Amino acid sequence: QVNVAIRSSLQSLREKIDQLRELLLRAVSTRQITQLEGDRRQNLVDELLTRHKQLEASYRNEGPEPDMSRSSLMAGGAKRGITNPWLLEEPEETRGLGFDELRQQQRRIIEEQDAGLDALSSIISRQKQMGQEIGNELDEQNEIIDDLTNLVENTDDRLRTQTRHVKLVDKKSTSCG
């Protein structure tokens, strides 16, 4: 009976770990949690899966010495150098916060990021407007330069024509007298 209960518990544990993994993937894909938090939680789920495999191996007497395996599983793996993920240091900003408080903190952070993005958007819009105004000013300056170029060319043509006339008048005046 004990063996049946152990096998049933191990199977149930495996199913719950699989459900936990699916829920985690769904939470990350729907952006209910950040990618960084998803990675942290995925590491914890992987550690659970490793512990499950160790328990199964211990149950089948396939692993290291049974006493060593039991003590490492129950003591967080301290004897084998494996750390317990549940004993990891929690960041200072989330220490002691409940689920609702964590969610509120996450929303506050997202609101701050949104405000920063709005400010950035306004700066970029202002720069776009300035760029368009500079482009319009350049177009006007180019038109002025084109007009000036046409005037200079017309003046140059008239100057050449007048120079030819002066040379012709000079030639006639020298031939006349």
Side-chain angles (χ1 to χ4, degrees):
Q1 250 180 348
V2 173
N3 283 338
V4 170
I6 291 173
R7 276 191 298 233
S8 173
S9 294
L10 285 173
Q11 180 62 30
S12 174
L13 178 61
R14 176 59 189 223
E15 290 170 0
K16 288 180 181 180
I17 291 171
D18 289 340
Q19 287 175 352
L20 193 58
R21 177 176 277 158
E22 289 174 23
L23 289 171
L24 179 60
L25 289 174
R26 193 173 313 131
V28 170
S29 67
T30 59
R31 297 186 187 269
Q32 291 175 341
I33 59 174
T34 64
Q35 184 64 43
L36 185 63
E37 179 64 15
D39 291 343
R40 186 185 75 79
R41 291 181 186 185
Q42 182 63 48
N43 288 337
L44 295 174
V45 170
D46 290 342
E47 182 65 27
L48 278 176
L49 193 57
T50 301
R51 293 232 176 124
H52 173 264
K53 289 178 182 177
Q54 289 173 345
L55 282 171
E56 279 186 333
S58 175
Y59 172 69
R60 294 186 193 126
N61 290 326
E62 295 175 356
E65 300 174 19
D67 290 338
M68 171 89 170
S69 178
R70 283 190 190 108
S71 65
S72 69
L73 286 172
M74 298 306 158
K79 291 186 180 178
R80 293 177 47 208
I82 300 171
T83 60
N84 184 345
W86 303 109
L87 299 177
L88 290 175
E89 284 298 316
E90 186 174 352
E92 188 65 36
E93 62 268 3
T94 60
R95 188 168 293 151
L97 297 180
F99 180 75
D100 289 333
E101 293 165 327
L102 284 173
R103 183 165 278 189
Q104 287 175 352
Q105 183 182 19
Q106 186 179 29
R107 284 188 183 134
R108 184 179 43 77
I109 290 170
I110 289 172
E111 287 172 0
E112 289 172 3
Q113 289 174 344
D114 286 346
L117 288 174
D118 288 342
L120 182 62
S121 173
S122 126
I123 290 169
I124 290 172
S125 294
R126 220 176 20 239
Q127 287 181 337
K128 177 184 175 187
Q129 183 180 5
M130 287 171 55
Q132 288 172 338
E133 290 174 5
I134 289 171
N136 292 339
E137 183 67 27
L138 283 174
D139 289 342
E140 289 177 21
Q141 294 292 329
N142 282 337
E143 287 179 21
I144 292 171
I145 290 172
D146 288 343
D147 290 345
L148 192 59
T149 301
N150 289 336
L151 287 173
V152 168
E153 286 175 357
N154 290 340
T155 304
D156 188 47
D157 288 343
R158 283 188 291 164
L159 188 61
R160 285 188 180 149
T161 302
Q162 291 303 323
T163 303
R164 272 190 249 123
H165 281 36
V166 167
K167 284 182 182 178
L168 203 106
V169 167
D170 186 44
K171 199 181 214 182
K172 285 184 181 179
S173 72
T174 55
S175 64
C176 287

